[in-house]
Amino acid sequence: MPHTGTVTKPAPAPQHEELPSKHDRRFGLPIATTLVMGNIIGGGIFLLPASVAPFGTISLVAFGVLTVGAIALALVFGRLAHRHPQTGGPYVYAREAFGDFAGFLASWSYWITTWVSNAALAVAAVGYLDVLLPIHGSTFWTIVAALTVQWLPALANLAGTRYVGAVQLVSTVLKFAPLLLVAVGGLFFFHADNLGPFRASGDSSLGAVSASAAILLFSYLGVESASVSAGEVRDPERNVGRATVVGTGLAALLYLLCTLAVFGTVAHDRLVDSSAPFSDAVNAMFGGTWGGTAVAIAALVSMLGALNGWTLLSAQTPYAAAKDGLFPAVFTKKKRGTPTAGVLVAVTLASLLTVYNYTAGSAGVFETLVLVTTFTATVPYLLATAAQIYFLLSGQGHRVSGPRLARDLVLALAAFGFSLWLVGGAGYAAVYQGVLFLFIGVLVYAWMAARKKRTAADATD
């Protein structure tokens, strides 16, 4: 039964929740913006040019379409966060519009996205670490490296939100130096002959755009970062929307410039087979072979920053749901501004998945799970945009600005359509696996709802 009023206020804060301390500090607009940018720009940007090169320069069209969709989604999240500045983002919006079950599905799906993404980022980071410290010959040391990459950001989160913001700001600034070097400097070494054919795969234009977009989808996850952590953002009604739009726009611009620069500095036939396109681009620009090391360092910094932000999100989403009795109460435990149980559970699950990936040699299964994150992320996107459409069409004028009604509705419909496109791009296997994850969540919801009802019944006796 959809809610027609405001969200039912949660019970008083549990006694285990601490008062704000010196470690608990709200984010301002700059850090909230870097949180969005850092979560969108992980390690994928260092592989994207080579991944989409087989489709030709038509893949830049897919970049453009994805960017428009991501900006529309960011604007919708900004509008929603203005009226609902609570921690939880899509969970809060879905629950307010459609009730507990929709809120739970949004929270559950997003939670899966966060910790599986962390495992994927850690495995990718080890690939770049191998350039600096060759460890590929030892499964043991590879696992140790991957777990270390995951647990360092987790420890930063456990130290308090004050340190999360500091790590996020530093890592974002450091990783942008080499990216800007390629994005801007590469344009001075640009040669049109390197671009290759506009459509290289032999597919139709629509097919080539859709196929290349499917590869790029994972790279745009993170537009919701500021809204999920809205409770930790200073002046969220104003700053969440700005951080979301500015962070998404800057990340998209950097994506486009970097890809275009690599396309124009590395010959197409070489780029298609490249395992380190940014290294090849730097080598082509300045000569020598030092580019591989520089890019490896930049990639590690980039992915550590992304892991830092995603670890925070992996704890914030179940925290918000647990406060409303839709996740186990252990997720409400907070220390130094960070939901400690959420961080520990997420990093443990990601660690187990990482160990399984290396010991079972299941690269194909792991790649499927990475695509699952694209699908699971679209579930809260769809629910959040549907919630905005519901608010606009249900006559709840206090939730939206009257003069902006038509514009907000167009944006919400565009964002909803973009989210559906993401589902299609994830592929049949990913959707199949993702639905199984959702059904497991339905069982968890049944258990939590039963406990909640029994507790309410006992309280009235």
Side-chain angles (χ1 to χ4, degrees), residues 193-420:
D193 294 340
N194 290 328
L195 292 176
F198 178 69
R199 194 174 71 242
S201 64
D203 298 328
S204 66
S205 296
L206 180 59
V209 169
S210 298
S212 54
I215 297 175
L216 301 172
L217 299 180
F218 183 75
S219 303
Y220 273 80
L221 299 182
V223 297
E224 71 294 328
S225 303
S227 67
V228 172
S229 298
E232 280 63 53
V233 177
R234 189 164 51 247
D235 191 10
E237 293 89 346
R238 183 180 183 182
N239 286 335
V240 168
R242 291 183 176 185
T244 301
V245 174
V246 174
T248 301
L250 291 176
L253 178 62
L254 191 59
Y255 272 157
L256 289 167
L257 287 177
C258 284
T259 304
L260 182 62
V262 173
F263 274 15
T265 54
V266 182
H268 180 262
D269 56 348
R270 184 181 178 189
L271 183 59
V272 169
D273 298 320
S274 175
S275 60
F278 273 68
S279 296
D280 292 338
V282 172
N283 290 339
M285 290 163 58
F286 304 109
T289 59
W290 57 270
T293 300
V295 170
I297 295 173
L300 282 171
V301 172
S302 176
M303 284 181 279
L304 282 172
L307 278 165
N308 181 63
W310 278 105
T311 299
L312 175 64
L313 299 186
S314 70
Q316 297 290 13
T317 299
Y319 169 77
K323 286 182 66 177
D324 294 326
L326 299 181
F327 258 59
V330 67
F331 285 99
T332 63
K333 292 184 178 180
K334 214 173 185 184
K335 189 176 182 181
R336 295 175 177 175
T338 302
T340 53
V343 170
L344 290 173
V345 171
V347 72
T348 299
L349 289 172
S351 298
L352 291 173
L353 182 60
T354 302
V355 172
Y356 170 77
N357 176 61
Y358 283 118
T359 56
S362 52
V365 173
F366 191 78
E367 289 170 3
T368 300
L369 289 175
V370 170
L371 286 176
V372 167
T373 64
T374 301
F375 168 74
T376 54
T378 60
V379 174
Y381 289 175
L382 286 167
L383 288 170
T385 53
Q388 174 72 335
I389 294 170
Y390 167 76
F391 294 146
L392 292 169
L393 298 180
S394 62
Q396 300 182 41
H398 64 287
R399 302 182 187 279
V400 293
S401 175
R404 299 180 181 177
L405 181 61
R407 189 193 71 179
D408 286 351
L409 185 59
V410 170
L411 281 174
L413 289 172
F416 188 87
F418 172 68
S419 300
L420 281 179

